[in-house]
Amino acid sequence: MELLVELVTFVLIGLAVAGVGARARKAVARRARARTASASGGNLVPVPCQARWKQGARRRFFGYGKLTPDTDGTGAVFKAPLRRAVAVPVGGRAAVRQSWRPGMQVLEYSTPDGRNIDFQVYDAEVDRAARFLRIPDPADFA
């Protein structure tokens, strides 16, 4: 009998967690769509993301922050809280793959100078992040 009670409790907790996770993903997707709609109106809206790149020998930087175009419009900037802004070279190549987190994709960006930077962004904001980084559209070369 105790085993049945524990099993039912485990199932109920699992259902509650799944429901909370689904509501959280919907809220995040709704906010991402609102940011994209605001940006289409001409507003400058940063793209929240995670960035990861190699920095120095055997050191990797990993942090949450926002990707924005540079103030002069010639580049992109990644700004993490409590850290100085990092200029990101634009015009490189990118590949997009699914993330392990639902509702997100990884933009694997190769800069023109050979560095590799991974940006984990929401599904609705991959195109805006690519625009900020000025990634050439492959269809332009066909």
Side-chain angles (χ1 to χ4, degrees), residues 82-112:
L82 303 175
R83 293 183 182 260
R84 61 182 173 84
V86 176
V88 179
V90 297
R93 301 282 179 202
V96 178
R97 66 175 167 84
Q98 281 299 117
S99 171
W100 62 274
R101 292 178 59 186
M104 299 193 86
Q105 294 183 10
V106 176
L107 183 69
E108 296 173 339
Y109 179 63
S110 297
T111 63

Side-chain angles (χ1 to χ4, degrees), residues 26-40:
K26 285 181 184 177
V28 165
R30 185 178 61 246
R31 280 186 257 154
R33 284 191 304 271
R35 282 191 298 268
T36 302
S38 179
S40 68

Side-chain angles (χ1 to χ4, degrees), residues 20-119:
V20 169
R23 283 195 304 265
R25 283 191 299 277
K26 285 181 184 177
V28 165
R30 185 178 61 246
R31 280 186 257 154
R33 284 191 304 271
R35 282 191 298 268
T36 302
S38 179
S40 68
N43 298 332
L44 177 65
V45 181
V47 175
C49 60
Q50 289 176 302
R52 184 179 58 199
W53 66 82
K54 191 167 183 151
Q55 183 178 12
R58 297 180 167 253
R59 235 176 100 197
R60 290 186 80 70
F61 173 80
F62 174 80
Y64 295 93
K66 294 187 178 183
L67 185 66
T68 60
D70 201 359
T71 55
D72 60 2
T74 59
V77 175
F78 177 75
K79 176 68 175 118
L82 303 175
R83 293 183 182 260
R84 61 182 173 84
V86 176
V88 179
V90 297
R93 301 282 179 202
V96 178
R97 66 175 167 84
Q98 281 299 117
S99 171
W100 62 274
R101 292 178 59 186
M104 299 193 86
Q105 294 183 10
V106 176
L107 183 69
E108 296 173 339
Y109 179 63
S110 297
T111 63
D113 60 0
R115 290 187 295 168
N116 294 323
I117 305 173
D118 293 340
F119 293 102

Side-chain angles (χ1 to χ4, degrees), residues 112-129:
D113 60 0
R115 290 187 295 168
N116 294 323
I117 305 173
D118 293 340
F119 293 102
Q120 186 171 2
V121 298
Y122 296 109
D123 289 339
E125 297 181 311
V126 172
D127 293 333
R128 274 195 322 121

